[in-house]
Amino acid sequence: PFKSLQDRGIVSAIEDDTRTHNSPGSPYMAMPTERHSVAIMRRNMAICLCRGEPFYTLPIIDGADMDFPAFATDADAWRIATEFALAQGTERHAEIAVVTSEESIKSMPLKPGVRDHYPDQWIQVYRPDGTVEEGNPQARSIITDNYYAIYTRLARLGAGCDYLLAEDLEHAKGTYKLYVFVNCLKATDAFRRAVARLRERNCTLLWMHAPGFVADGGNSVANMKTLTGLEFA
């Protein structure tokens, strides 16, 4: 939840285990050509500029992952854009907040047989020689999609999305038009207070997957009504 970290004055870094064509020692997910590598690095730099958040350029496989001329050219352009944004005091003004909960992660039951539950979660990855293999992300949660797979999809809506931590929502600084609660199964008292204030504002709250259902005193739809104000059966 990078925006919650920023609101708290914490600098977080994007770390996505980038494997370029210069990472032949990687057993999977390496880019087969320089063209693919340039596309990946440009994506990372774009995310960095949009979020105001740095990303790692540390070599993680062979020591030369980022050592190719095309990246140096792009990195120089990226530096110029970043320095301009800093000089202008550029700020991020997203209108959508994606809210995710750490408490809910701890309350998710595990499921065997991911392919049976999530056939669309199988992914294609490149081997270092450019051939392709299928695999899955080894997810074992019943709400895989609402936990992590949905984040990048929401980021492609065409409107800026900030990711917020549910347990710290009462300290969020943005005045968003839409709040998407993706996995808030278990609500803390602080989260309930923050949601109550949002319900009094002119904004839309979109709830997914049994919000507030889990509680220490017992799981129930009554818990969901306390959090959302909606009737459930």
Side-chain angles (χ1 to χ4, degrees):
F2 72 90
K3 190 59 171 63
S4 289
L5 294 172
Q6 290 177 1
D7 287 346
R8 288 291 193 165
I10 300 169
V11 177
S12 61
I14 302 167
E15 197 276 294
D16 72 341
D17 283 2
T18 302
R19 295 165 168 85
T20 70
H21 66 292
N22 271 12
S23 308
S26 173
Y28 62 97
M29 291 187 179
M31 295 298 102
T33 69
E34 182 181 271
R35 183 174 62 85
H36 288 86
S37 300
V38 168
I40 290 293
M41 299 313 299
R42 287 180 177 176
R43 177 204 66 184
N44 288 5
M45 289 186 281
I47 294 173
C48 166
L49 289 169
C50 288
R51 289 188 183 178
E53 184 182 20
F55 74 89
Y56 287 146
T57 54
L58 297 175
I60 63 170
I61 301 296
D62 293 296
D65 306 65
M66 312 298 174
D67 186 13
F68 55 99
F71 175 60
T73 301
D74 281 349
D76 192 48
W78 175 48
R79 176 186 57 79
I80 294 171
T82 303
E83 290 176 349
F84 176 80
L86 289 171
Q88 296 294 314
T90 303
E91 296 180 349
R92 180 178 172 84
H93 296 287
E95 296 184 338
I96 300 173
V98 179
V99 184
T100 183
S101 166
E102 286 188 332
E103 284 294 323
S104 293
I105 294 171
K106 293 184 290 185
S107 65
M108 291 191 294
L110 302 179
K111 289 281 188 180
V114 174
R115 190 164 195 170
D116 295 335
H117 293 275
Y118 298 103
D120 63 329
Q121 287 299 312
W122 279 68
I123 56 175
Q124 287 190 161
V125 297
Y126 286 113
R127 300 188 185 97
D129 62 2
T131 57
V132 177
E133 67 175 284
E134 284 190 338
N136 71 54
Q138 301 300 316
R140 293 291 183 266
S141 161
I142 63 166
I143 56 171
T144 300
D145 192 71
N146 283 0
Y147 171 41
Y148 76 87
I150 196 172
Y151 295 153
T152 53
R153 295 172 188 168
L154 291 171
R156 293 183 173 91
L157 283 173
C161 295
D162 282 348
Y163 303 158
L164 304 178
L165 182 64
E167 287 74 29
D168 202 49
L169 185 62
E170 62 180 347
H171 299 291
K173 296 180 179 179
T175 54
Y176 303 94
K177 295 180 180 179
L178 171 64
Y179 290 79
V180 183
F181 300 94
V182 293
N183 73 329
C184 299
L185 286 168
K186 184 175 182 180
T188 63
D189 290 339
F191 181 53
R192 291 190 189 93
R193 290 194 299 269
V195 169
R197 286 195 292 270
L198 290 178
R199 285 166 54 189
E200 297 174 354
R201 272 189 39 211
N202 183 23
C203 60
T204 299
L205 311 185
L206 174 60
W207 296 100
M208 303 175 69
H209 201 87
F213 180 76
V214 176
D216 292 337
N219 304 339
S220 71
V221 292
N223 298 335
M224 297 170 64
K225 181 178 179 179
T226 300
L227 177 63
T228 67
L230 304 171
E231 294 282 356
F232 294 90

